[in-house]
Amino acid sequence: MTTLRTCVFPCAGFGTRFFPATKVIPKEMLPLVDKPILQYGIEEALGSGMDKLIVVLSKGKDAILDHFDRTSELERSLQERKKNDLLDEVETVSRMADIISVRQKEALGLGHAVLQAKDAVGCEPFAVVLPDDVILADEPCLLQMRHVFEETGRPVVALMEVLPEETSRYGIVGGNMLGNRRFHVTDMVEKPKVNPPSCYAIIGRYILPPEIFPLLEKTERGAGGEIQLTDALRELVRTGDFYGYVFEGKRYDAGEKLGYLKATVDYALRHPTLGEEFRAHLEALIGGEEQHGQTLRHPRRA
Ligand code: G1P
């Protein structure tokens, strides 16, 4: 079996769920505490053994490439001022990964975005990470899925159980649970309005064979008038075994405001240098010691 080393990051969406913040700034560049959202996905892919990273961009998203590029002037200035800690941080990011970029010239949906990576991927299996789906886990979610792929040689998608009323927001799989967090997928529907085939939603992590590309080329516009990855996967399911993996970890939808806030709080509480003080602040805030955003350092005596 060919080694899995390629990961595709579709980053071409408009980020409308986060307007107006993302009118100009790519949503993938919004910080979760002190790193842009995309960096978490890149670190997950690197931590899962992938080293060929492909981002699918649209116009106005070049800040993403700049973030992972060398910034010689900044590095020189930090060096001269002997700001070695900051220099280390900047260099870590620019040395983290060499990134291949491809463009999605029209906003035709996730399936179309993945298809733009066809030539860059070549004839190998590859992973797809949707950067909005940030997953906090002891073992990176992609690595958990990689074990299933390496054992079976078959496609794998990440699954999470959702409430029945939430199924219309996701790609939902049909099939049966095999045990050991594995699900044998026999069907799937993108954002079912009625009769979802199960309560297991596809979360933005996929391990796919290159055979998905000809299927994507044939896929017509589906839900929301877009070329859906789920519709091409549905065709792939018909060609052989296809697995879902109910990953261990916590997933946040950082592409919308509330999910982003929740993720920010969780990551901030776990942050090695900020966590403790932030926790104390939250406790004080919730305990009512703060009013109107101002700390009452010297509460007036009654
Ligand atoms: C995409 C996929 C959907 C999946 C979801 C996970 O939808 O099309 O199948 O369940 O990501 O976040 P989107 O959220 O881009 O509408």
Side-chain angles (χ1 to χ4, degrees):
M1 199 197 329
T2 332
T3 322
L4 177 64
R5 54 176 291 247
T6 304
C7 189
V8 176
F9 300 84
C11 300
F14 288 130
T16 45
R17 294 183 302 157
F18 224 122
F19 273 2
T22 47
K23 212 182 129 209
V24 176
I25 298 169
K27 63 176 173 173
E28 297 79 7
M29 288 305 292
L30 294 178
L32 260 186
V33 189
D34 53 4
K35 291 189 273 190
I37 290 175
L38 177 61
Q39 194 172 324
Y40 291 86
I42 299 264
E43 287 176 4
E44 181 181 328
L46 294 171
S48 305
M50 326 242 164
D51 60 0
K52 180 175 161 190
L53 309 184
I54 302 168
V55 294
V56 184
L57 303 179
S58 54
K59 210 172 165 52
K61 297 260 187 165
D62 290 349
I64 290 177
L65 296 179
D66 290 345
H67 178 72
F68 293 99
D69 201 352
R70 296 295 297 266
T71 37
S72 318
E73 261 176 55
L74 172 63
E75 287 170 36
R76 210 174 310 120
S77 153
L78 292 172
Q79 226 157 11
E80 279 164 15
R81 290 183 290 141
K82 306 218 178 325
K83 306 254 182 203
N84 291 333
D85 289 0
L86 293 179
L87 185 63
D88 274 356
E89 281 179 31
V90 166
E91 283 185 342
T92 305
V93 178
S94 48
R95 297 219 169 104
M96 185 171 284
D98 282 326
I99 291 181
I100 301 166
S101 78
V102 296
R103 281 257 177 157
Q104 185 187 23
K105 294 182 185 167
E106 284 174 282
L108 293 179
L110 177 60
H112 182 258
V114 172
L115 182 56
Q116 305 316 299
K118 179 181 169 204
D119 289 343
V121 169
C123 298
E124 294 180 4
F126 64 104
V128 176
V129 166
L130 307 188
D132 284 359
D133 283 329
V134 177
I135 299 176
L136 241 174
D138 291 339
E139 182 177 37
C141 179
L142 260 188
L143 186 54
Q144 298 177 37
M145 295 164 64
R146 184 182 188 124
H147 301 318
V148 181
F149 172 73
E150 284 179 347
E151 206 182 291
T152 63
R154 302 300 307 166
V156 189
V157 292
L159 294 182
M160 182 178 94
E161 203 171 354
V162 297
L163 298 170
E165 60 270 27
E166 293 172 338
T167 49
S168 62
R169 291 197 233 147
Y170 297 96
I172 302 292
V173 294
N176 58 296
M177 188 56 97
L178 300 170
N180 217 2
R181 297 183 166 266
R182 291 177 192 197
F183 191 101
H184 189 242
V185 179
T186 53
D187 196 10
M188 60 179 79
V189 190
E190 180 66 11
K191 306 197 171 91
K193 292 199 174 81
V194 287
N195 301 329
S198 76
C199 277
Y200 285 100
I202 303 174
I203 294 306
R205 303 287 185 278
Y206 309 76
I207 297 178
L208 302 173
E211 286 76 26
I212 194 66
F213 291 120
L215 298 175
L216 279 169
E217 279 164 348
K218 281 194 270 170
T219 303
E220 312 249 332
R221 291 178 191 228
E226 297 187 332
I227 297 172
Q228 296 290 351
L229 179 58
T230 307
D231 292 342
L233 295 180
R234 191 175 200 201
E235 293 304 312
L236 189 64
V237 165
R238 298 184 208 284
T239 67
D241 286 335
F242 190 117
Y243 295 99
Y245 187 75
V246 184
F247 61 91
E248 265 180 277
K250 242 194 283 180
R251 170 261 186 180
Y252 290 103
D253 181 359
E256 55 96 22
K257 294 170 189 176
L258 191 59
Y260 174 83
L261 288 175
K262 290 179 183 172
T264 300
V265 170
D266 202 342
Y267 278 90
L269 287 172
R270 291 162 196 267
H271 192 280
T273 56
L274 307 171
E276 211 177 308
E277 208 176 325
F278 185 60
R279 181 178 301 277
H281 172 74
L282 282 188
E283 280 169 2
L285 196 65
I286 290 162
E289 283 184 38
E290 293 220 353
Q291 290 175 1
H292 312 300
Q294 301 266 316
T295 306
L296 296 179
R297 288 181 200 284
H298 306 289
R300 270 187 232 130
R301 293 213 181 123

